[in-house]
Amino acid sequence: MKKVLVLGATGAMGRYLIPELVNLDYEVVGVGREETAPWKVNAAYIQSDAFDKNFLNGLLKENFDGIINFMEYGKVDFSEYYQLFLEHTSHYIYLSTCRVYDDKEQPIKETSPRLLDSSEDEVLKASHDYCIYKAQDEDLLVNSSYDNWTVVRPATTFSTMRLQLVTLEFNNSVARALQGKTIVLPIQAKDKPATLSWGGDVAKMIARILFKEEAKREFYNVCSAEHRTWGEIAEYYRDLVGLEAVWVDKEDYLAILSPEGTINVRWQLEYARLFRRITDNSKVLALTGLKQEDMMPMYDGLKLEIGNIPKDYVPEDTKIGLRMDEYIKNHIL
Protein backbone atom coordinates (compact mmCIF):
# COMPACT_ATOMS: atom_id res chain seq x y z
CA MET A 1 0.00 0.00 0.00
CA LYS A 2 1.47 3.33 -1.08
CA LYS A 3 1.51 6.16 1.43
CA VAL A 4 0.38 9.64 0.40
CA LEU A 5 0.75 12.97 2.20
CA VAL A 6 -1.68 15.81 1.42
CA LEU A 7 -0.72 19.27 2.64
CA GLY A 8 -3.52 21.82 2.93
CA ALA A 9 -5.91 18.90 3.11
CA THR A 10 -9.00 20.68 4.42
CA GLY A 11 -9.42 23.17 1.58
CA ALA A 12 -11.73 23.24 -1.43
CA MET A 13 -9.99 20.37 -3.24
CA GLY A 14 -8.34 18.55 -0.35
CA ARG A 15 -11.64 17.70 1.34
CA TYR A 16 -12.63 15.75 -1.77
CA LEU A 17 -9.17 14.44 -2.63
CA ILE A 18 -8.68 12.51 0.62
CA PRO A 19 -11.68 10.19 0.02
CA GLU A 20 -10.59 9.70 -3.61
CA LEU A 21 -7.14 8.58 -2.51
CA VAL A 22 -8.58 6.26 0.13
CA ASN A 23 -10.88 4.73 -2.50
CA LEU A 24 -7.79 4.05 -4.60
CA ASP A 25 -6.38 2.04 -1.67
CA TYR A 26 -3.66 4.47 -0.62
CA GLU A 27 -2.70 5.05 2.98
CA VAL A 28 -3.37 8.76 3.42
CA VAL A 29 -2.20 11.41 5.87
CA GLY A 30 -3.73 14.88 5.63
CA VAL A 31 -2.34 18.02 7.23
CA GLY A 32 -4.39 21.14 7.83
CA ARG A 33 -5.13 23.92 10.30
CA GLU A 34 -8.74 23.00 11.01
CA GLU A 35 -9.45 21.37 14.37
CA THR A 36 -11.15 18.40 12.75
CA ALA A 37 -10.98 16.78 9.33
CA PRO A 38 -13.94 17.36 6.96
CA TRP A 39 -13.98 13.76 5.72
CA LYS A 40 -15.36 10.55 7.20
CA VAL A 41 -13.00 8.03 5.64
CA ASN A 42 -10.11 6.06 7.08
CA ALA A 43 -7.36 8.65 6.70
CA ALA A 44 -5.06 10.10 9.34
CA TYR A 45 -5.30 13.80 10.06
CA ILE A 46 -2.72 16.08 11.66
CA GLN A 47 -3.63 19.60 12.73
CA SER A 48 -0.45 21.57 12.24
CA ASP A 49 1.32 24.36 10.36
CA ALA A 50 2.76 22.90 7.15
CA PHE A 51 4.99 25.97 6.76
CA ASP A 52 6.87 24.94 9.93
CA LYS A 53 10.10 23.39 8.68
CA ASN A 54 10.79 21.55 11.92
CA PHE A 55 7.38 19.93 11.68
CA LEU A 56 7.92 19.09 8.00
CA ASN A 57 11.35 17.59 8.58
CA GLY A 58 9.95 15.28 11.20
CA LEU A 59 6.90 14.35 9.15
CA LEU A 60 8.82 13.60 5.96
CA LYS A 61 10.94 11.04 7.76
CA GLU A 62 7.91 8.76 7.35
CA ASN A 63 8.91 8.30 3.68
CA PHE A 64 5.75 9.11 1.76
CA ASP A 65 5.51 7.64 -1.73
CA GLY A 66 3.54 10.66 -2.92
CA ILE A 67 3.06 14.24 -1.75
CA ILE A 68 0.24 16.49 -2.96
CA ASN A 69 0.76 20.08 -1.95
CA PHE A 70 -2.14 22.56 -1.80
CA MET A 71 -0.23 25.10 0.29
CA GLU A 72 -0.02 28.74 -0.82
CA TYR A 73 3.51 30.18 -0.72
CA GLY A 74 2.56 33.80 -1.29
CA LYS A 75 3.93 34.94 2.07
CA VAL A 76 6.90 32.59 2.27
CA ASP A 77 9.62 31.63 -0.19
CA PHE A 78 8.86 28.40 -2.03
CA SER A 79 12.56 28.11 -2.87
CA GLU A 80 13.13 27.19 0.78
CA TYR A 81 10.71 24.25 0.58
CA TYR A 82 10.55 22.56 -2.80
CA GLN A 83 13.79 20.56 -2.56
CA LEU A 84 12.70 19.22 0.81
CA PHE A 85 9.61 17.73 -0.81
CA LEU A 86 11.33 16.47 -3.95
CA GLU A 87 14.00 14.69 -1.94
CA HIS A 88 11.49 12.84 0.23
CA THR A 89 9.04 11.32 -2.23
CA SER A 90 8.82 9.52 -5.55
CA HIS A 91 6.07 11.81 -6.89
CA TYR A 92 5.39 15.40 -5.87
CA ILE A 93 2.30 17.24 -7.17
CA TYR A 94 2.34 21.03 -6.90
CA LEU A 95 -0.84 23.09 -7.09
CA SER A 96 -0.50 26.04 -9.43
CA THR A 97 -3.42 27.82 -11.12
CA CYS A 98 -4.95 28.67 -14.49
CA ARG A 99 -4.52 32.29 -13.45
CA VAL A 100 -0.93 32.07 -14.66
CA TYR A 101 -2.24 32.22 -18.25
CA ASP A 102 -2.74 35.40 -20.24
CA ASP A 103 -5.69 36.01 -22.57
CA LYS A 104 -3.97 35.62 -25.92
CA GLU A 105 -4.98 32.06 -26.77
CA GLN A 106 -8.32 30.26 -26.62
CA PRO A 107 -9.00 27.63 -25.53
CA ILE A 108 -6.28 27.64 -22.87
CA LYS A 109 -3.84 24.76 -23.20
CA GLU A 110 -0.92 23.84 -20.96
CA THR A 111 1.40 25.48 -23.51
CA SER A 112 -0.56 28.76 -23.62
CA PRO A 113 1.40 31.92 -22.74
CA ARG A 114 1.77 32.89 -19.08
CA LEU A 115 1.45 36.43 -17.76
CA LEU A 116 4.91 36.19 -16.21
CA ASP A 117 6.39 35.72 -19.68
CA SER A 118 4.05 37.71 -21.94
CA SER A 119 2.54 40.60 -19.99
CA GLU A 120 3.56 44.14 -20.86
CA ASP A 121 2.60 45.29 -17.36
CA GLU A 122 6.01 45.54 -15.76
CA VAL A 123 4.54 46.44 -12.38
CA LEU A 124 2.52 43.22 -12.40
CA LYS A 125 5.51 41.13 -13.49
CA ALA A 126 7.67 42.63 -10.74
CA SER A 127 5.01 41.99 -8.11
CA HIS A 128 4.23 39.01 -5.90
CA ASP A 129 0.70 38.69 -7.20
CA TYR A 130 -0.88 35.23 -7.20
CA CYS A 131 -0.54 34.78 -10.96
CA ILE A 132 3.13 35.77 -10.80
CA TYR A 133 4.44 33.86 -7.80
CA LYS A 134 2.68 30.69 -8.91
CA ALA A 135 4.47 30.90 -12.27
CA GLN A 136 7.77 31.58 -10.51
CA ASP A 137 7.23 28.52 -8.31
CA GLU A 138 6.61 26.48 -11.45
CA ASP A 139 9.92 27.70 -12.84
CA LEU A 140 11.76 26.55 -9.74
CA LEU A 141 10.57 23.02 -10.44
CA VAL A 142 11.30 23.22 -14.17
CA ASN A 143 14.81 24.52 -13.60
CA SER A 144 15.59 21.96 -10.91
CA SER A 145 17.48 18.74 -11.55
CA TYR A 146 14.56 16.68 -10.24
CA ASP A 147 12.26 14.62 -12.43
CA ASN A 148 9.64 13.54 -9.90
CA TRP A 149 7.27 16.51 -9.98
CA THR A 150 3.99 17.37 -11.69
CA VAL A 151 2.29 20.77 -11.81
CA VAL A 152 -1.52 20.92 -11.82
CA ARG A 153 -3.38 24.07 -12.79
CA PRO A 154 -7.02 24.21 -11.67
CA ALA A 155 -9.43 26.83 -12.93
CA THR A 156 -11.73 28.58 -10.45
CA THR A 157 -12.85 25.72 -8.22
CA PHE A 158 -16.00 25.73 -6.11
CA SER A 159 -16.57 23.53 -3.11
CA THR A 160 -18.20 23.38 0.32
CA MET A 161 -18.78 26.95 1.56
CA ARG A 162 -16.65 28.21 -1.32
CA LEU A 163 -18.89 29.56 -4.05
CA GLN A 164 -17.55 32.30 -6.29
CA LEU A 165 -19.09 34.95 -8.52
CA VAL A 166 -16.62 37.07 -10.47
CA THR A 167 -14.16 38.01 -7.68
CA LEU A 168 -16.71 37.67 -4.85
CA GLU A 169 -16.38 34.73 -2.50
CA PHE A 170 -19.19 33.05 -0.55
CA ASN A 171 -19.54 35.64 2.24
CA ASN A 172 -20.21 38.46 -0.24
CA SER A 173 -22.30 36.57 -2.79
CA VAL A 174 -24.34 33.54 -1.73
CA ALA A 175 -24.41 34.59 1.93
CA ARG A 176 -25.91 37.96 0.95
CA ALA A 177 -28.49 36.18 -1.18
CA LEU A 178 -29.46 34.11 1.85
CA GLN A 179 -30.03 37.41 3.69
CA GLY A 180 -32.21 38.68 0.86
CA LYS A 181 -29.64 41.31 -0.05
CA THR A 182 -28.58 42.46 -3.52
CA ILE A 183 -24.98 42.20 -4.67
CA VAL A 184 -22.95 44.44 -6.97
CA LEU A 185 -21.03 43.03 -9.96
CA PRO A 186 -18.85 44.60 -12.70
CA ILE A 187 -20.69 44.95 -16.01
CA GLN A 188 -17.43 44.36 -17.92
CA ALA A 189 -17.44 40.75 -16.65
CA LYS A 190 -21.03 39.90 -17.54
CA ASP A 191 -20.32 38.46 -20.99
CA LYS A 192 -16.87 37.03 -20.23
CA PRO A 193 -16.72 33.20 -20.35
CA ALA A 194 -15.48 31.53 -17.19
CA THR A 195 -14.50 27.97 -16.32
CA LEU A 196 -15.79 26.86 -12.92
CA SER A 197 -15.03 23.34 -11.76
CA TRP A 198 -16.44 21.34 -8.88
CA GLY A 199 -13.82 20.40 -6.26
CA GLY A 200 -14.81 16.74 -6.43
CA ASP A 201 -13.96 16.57 -10.13
CA VAL A 202 -10.61 18.26 -9.61
CA ALA A 203 -9.88 15.71 -6.87
CA LYS A 204 -10.63 12.82 -9.22
CA MET A 205 -8.15 14.17 -11.76
CA ILE A 206 -5.35 14.78 -9.28
CA ALA A 207 -5.81 11.38 -7.64
CA ARG A 208 -5.44 9.70 -11.01
CA ILE A 209 -2.39 11.70 -12.01
CA LEU A 210 -0.53 10.51 -8.94
CA PHE A 211 2.15 7.85 -9.54
CA LYS A 212 1.86 7.96 -13.33
CA GLU A 213 5.41 8.05 -14.68
CA GLU A 214 4.33 9.85 -17.86
CA ALA A 215 2.93 12.68 -15.70
CA LYS A 216 6.31 13.61 -14.27
CA ARG A 217 7.80 16.92 -15.41
CA GLU A 218 4.44 17.72 -16.99
CA PHE A 219 1.70 20.33 -16.54
CA TYR A 220 -2.04 19.63 -16.48
CA ASN A 221 -5.15 21.79 -16.54
CA VAL A 222 -7.24 20.02 -13.91
CA CYS A 223 -10.68 21.39 -14.60
CA SER A 224 -13.90 20.93 -16.49
CA ALA A 225 -14.10 22.12 -20.07
CA GLU A 226 -17.55 23.58 -19.41
CA HIS A 227 -17.66 27.35 -19.48
CA ARG A 228 -20.41 29.88 -18.91
CA THR A 229 -20.40 33.66 -18.87
CA TRP A 230 -20.44 35.35 -15.49
CA GLY A 231 -23.89 36.61 -16.40
CA GLU A 232 -25.10 33.06 -16.90
CA ILE A 233 -23.50 31.96 -13.64
CA ALA A 234 -25.23 34.82 -11.84
CA GLU A 235 -28.51 33.50 -13.26
CA TYR A 236 -27.67 30.04 -11.86
CA TYR A 237 -27.29 31.58 -8.42
CA ARG A 238 -30.52 33.51 -8.91
CA ASP A 239 -32.35 30.28 -9.62
CA LEU A 240 -30.70 28.38 -6.77
CA VAL A 241 -30.64 30.94 -3.94
CA GLY A 242 -32.61 33.91 -5.25
CA LEU A 243 -29.48 36.00 -5.77
CA GLU A 244 -30.20 39.48 -7.14
CA ALA A 245 -27.38 41.44 -8.78
CA VAL A 246 -26.89 44.92 -10.14
CA TRP A 247 -24.21 45.32 -12.79
CA VAL A 248 -22.11 48.48 -12.53
CA ASP A 249 -18.90 49.87 -13.98
CA LYS A 250 -15.81 48.05 -12.79
CA GLU A 251 -14.38 51.17 -11.15
CA ASP A 252 -17.42 51.43 -8.88
CA TYR A 253 -17.15 47.70 -8.16
CA LEU A 254 -13.45 47.96 -7.30
CA ALA A 255 -14.11 50.95 -5.03
CA ILE A 256 -16.60 48.82 -3.09
CA LEU A 257 -14.16 45.95 -2.76
CA SER A 258 -11.18 48.11 -1.84
CA PRO A 259 -11.72 51.83 -1.13
CA GLU A 260 -7.97 52.18 -0.63
CA GLY A 261 -7.35 50.93 -4.19
CA THR A 262 -5.40 47.76 -3.39
CA ILE A 263 -3.68 46.80 -6.64
CA ASN A 264 -4.03 43.03 -6.15
CA VAL A 265 -7.81 43.42 -5.99
CA ARG A 266 -7.71 45.16 -9.37
CA TRP A 267 -5.35 42.57 -10.84
CA GLN A 268 -7.60 39.68 -9.79
CA LEU A 269 -10.42 41.31 -11.74
CA GLU A 270 -8.53 42.61 -14.76
CA TYR A 271 -5.99 39.79 -15.19
CA ALA A 272 -8.29 36.90 -14.32
CA ARG A 273 -12.05 37.43 -14.24
CA LEU A 274 -12.12 39.82 -17.19
CA PHE A 275 -10.05 37.36 -19.23
CA ARG A 276 -11.84 34.82 -21.40
CA ARG A 277 -11.41 31.55 -19.54
CA ILE A 278 -12.23 28.69 -21.91
CA THR A 279 -10.03 25.80 -20.86
CA ASP A 280 -8.82 22.74 -22.74
CA ASN A 281 -8.66 19.73 -20.40
CA SER A 282 -7.96 17.10 -23.08
CA LYS A 283 -4.45 16.39 -21.80
CA VAL A 284 -5.53 15.38 -18.31
CA LEU A 285 -8.48 13.39 -19.64
CA ALA A 286 -6.17 11.42 -21.94
CA LEU A 287 -3.84 10.66 -19.02
CA THR A 288 -6.47 9.67 -16.47
CA GLY A 289 -9.07 7.98 -18.66
CA LEU A 290 -11.75 10.34 -17.40
CA LYS A 291 -14.18 11.95 -19.84
CA GLN A 292 -15.78 15.37 -19.92
CA GLU A 293 -19.17 13.72 -19.47
CA ASP A 294 -17.85 12.38 -16.15
CA MET A 295 -17.57 15.95 -14.89
CA MET A 296 -20.28 17.44 -12.71
CA PRO A 297 -22.32 19.97 -14.75
CA MET A 298 -21.73 23.42 -13.33
CA TYR A 299 -25.35 24.03 -12.38
CA ASP A 300 -25.64 20.66 -10.66
CA GLY A 301 -22.39 21.20 -8.77
CA LEU A 302 -23.48 24.61 -7.52
CA LYS A 303 -26.80 23.12 -6.46
CA LEU A 304 -25.00 20.35 -4.58
CA GLU A 305 -22.73 22.72 -2.68
CA ILE A 306 -25.54 25.12 -1.87
CA GLY A 307 -27.29 22.11 -0.41
CA ASN A 308 -24.19 21.50 1.73
CA ILE A 309 -24.53 24.85 3.50
CA PRO A 310 -25.19 23.95 7.16
CA LYS A 311 -28.83 24.38 8.15
CA ASP A 312 -27.78 26.45 11.16
CA TYR A 313 -25.56 28.79 9.14
CA VAL A 314 -26.28 32.43 9.93
CA PRO A 315 -24.85 34.95 7.42
CA GLU A 316 -22.99 37.89 8.87
CA ASP A 317 -22.45 41.33 7.41
CA THR A 318 -19.01 42.02 5.97
CA LYS A 319 -17.28 45.32 5.31
CA ILE A 320 -17.66 44.75 1.58
CA GLY A 321 -21.32 43.86 2.07
CA LEU A 322 -21.96 47.04 4.03
CA ARG A 323 -20.31 49.08 1.26
CA MET A 324 -22.55 47.30 -1.26
CA ASP A 325 -25.58 48.28 0.81
CA GLU A 326 -24.43 51.90 0.89
CA TYR A 327 -23.73 51.97 -2.85
CA ILE A 328 -27.11 50.48 -3.71
CA LYS A 329 -28.85 52.95 -1.38
CA ASN A 330 -27.08 55.94 -2.94
CA HIS A 331 -26.90 54.92 -6.60
CA ILE A 332 -29.54 52.32 -7.38
CA LEU A 333 -32.62 52.86 -5.21
Side-chain angles (χ1 to χ4, degrees):
M1 181 179 289
K2 289 187 176 180
K3 193 172 183 179
V4 181
L5 173 66
V6 180
L7 301 175
T10 58
M13 290 164 273
R15 66 177 54 240
Y16 284 111
L17 177 62
I18 299 291
E20 283 290 330
L21 295 172
V22 171
N23 288 338
L24 292 171
D25 293 326
Y26 299 135
E27 181 183 351
V28 184
V29 176
V31 177
R33 290 190 174 181
E34 303 295 328
E35 290 186 5
T36 58
W39 55 80
K40 297 180 180 179
V41 295
N42 186 22
Y45 178 64
I46 302 172
Q47 182 189 16
S48 190
D49 179 3
F51 293 120
D52 185 330
K53 291 180 183 176
N54 290 329
F55 165 73
L56 283 175
N57 279 311
L59 181 63
L60 293 177
K61 290 178 181 178
E62 296 186 28
N63 296 318
F64 292 94
D65 299 288
I67 299 174
I68 301 172
N69 191 356
F70 291 132
M71 302 297 292
E72 298 292 347
Y73 293 90
K75 296 182 179 180
V76 299
D77 193 343
F78 184 58
S79 67
E80 299 179 4
Y81 290 85
Y82 77 98
Q83 292 185 64
L84 180 65
F85 298 127
L86 294 171
E87 290 172 356
H88 286 86
T89 191
S90 64
H91 195 186
Y92 173 70
I93 295 182
Y94 173 77
L95 183 81
S96 185
T97 173
C98 280
R99 275 185 62 187
V100 299
Y101 296 116
D102 67 19
D103 196 30
K104 294 181 171 63
E105 183 176 293
Q106 301 295 326
I108 298 167
K109 300 179 180 180
E110 287 81 358
T111 54
S112 295
R114 302 180 308 170
L115 285 162
L116 176 63
D117 308 313
S118 64
S119 177
E120 296 180 0
D121 187 336
E122 296 300 328
V123 176
L124 173 71
K125 291 170 66 174
S127 76
H128 203 58
D129 187 68
Y130 187 66
C131 67
I132 298 301
Y133 81 72
K134 282 292 188 181
Q136 292 170 334
D137 291 353
E138 292 180 357
D139 288 348
L140 285 173
L141 297 173
V142 170
N143 295 325
S144 75
S145 60
Y146 297 90
D147 296 319
N148 58 330
W149 55 265
T150 300
V151 171
V152 293
R153 293 170 175 156
T156 304
T157 302
F158 63 90
S159 184
T160 304
M161 300 296 283
R162 184 179 178 186
L163 296 161
Q164 306 91 336
L165 185 53
V166 191
T167 63
L168 298 180
E169 291 290 344
F170 176 87
N171 288 343
N172 293 310
S173 57
V174 173
R176 281 182 63 81
L178 295 175
Q179 292 176 293
K181 294 186 175 183
T182 300
I183 69 168
V184 178
L185 294 170
I187 188 67
Q188 288 85 348
K190 190 172 186 179
D191 295 326
K192 297 293 184 182
T195 297
L196 263 66
S197 304
W198 177 53
D201 287 335
V202 178
K204 289 179 183 177
M205 296 178 195
I206 294 174
R208 287 156 181 78
I209 289 172
L210 187 63
F211 299 130
K212 284 188 167 53
E213 286 298 318
E214 61 268 39
K216 293 178 180 178
R217 272 198 166 264
E218 291 288 344
F219 296 78
Y220 293 93
N221 294 336
V222 287
C223 53
S224 172
E226 180 184 4
H227 57 271
R228 296 286 183 266
T229 67
W230 286 114
E232 290 174 315
I233 295 168
E235 286 299 314
Y236 284 174
Y237 282 122
R238 181 175 183 176
D239 184 59
L240 292 168
V241 288
L243 182 144
E244 296 291 341
V246 293
W247 296 84
V248 305
D249 185 77
K250 69 176 184 178
E251 296 304 324
D252 287 351
Y253 174 77
L254 288 169
I256 291 170
L257 265 60
S258 177
E260 64 275 16
T262 305
I263 191 65
N264 297 81
V265 174
R266 178 178 293 276
W267 283 338
Q268 184 188 13
L269 178 64
E270 295 185 344
Y271 288 121
R273 304 302 192 250
L274 296 188
F275 279 1
R276 299 162 296 159
R277 289 311 197 196
I278 301 172
T279 309
D280 184 338
N281 65 353
S282 59
K283 183 177 178 180
V284 73
L285 296 185
L287 176 75
T288 61
L290 294 170
K291 299 178 181 179
Q292 177 57 34
E293 50 264 38
D294 297 325
M295 304 293 107
M296 178 81 76
M298 191 187 301
Y299 181 92
D300 294 345
L302 293 173
K303 183 178 181 179
L304 171 69
E305 294 298 358
I306 286 169
N308 285 337
I309 298 171
K311 300 302 180 184
D312 59 352
Y313 172 73
V314 178
E316 296 181 359
D317 288 330
T318 67
K319 292 181 179 179
I320 290 174
L322 293 174
R323 290 195 292 268
M324 282 188 187
D325 292 338
E326 186 69 16
Y327 181 90
I328 292 168
K329 176 183 176 181
N330 293 333
H331 297 85
I332 306 300
L333 298 180

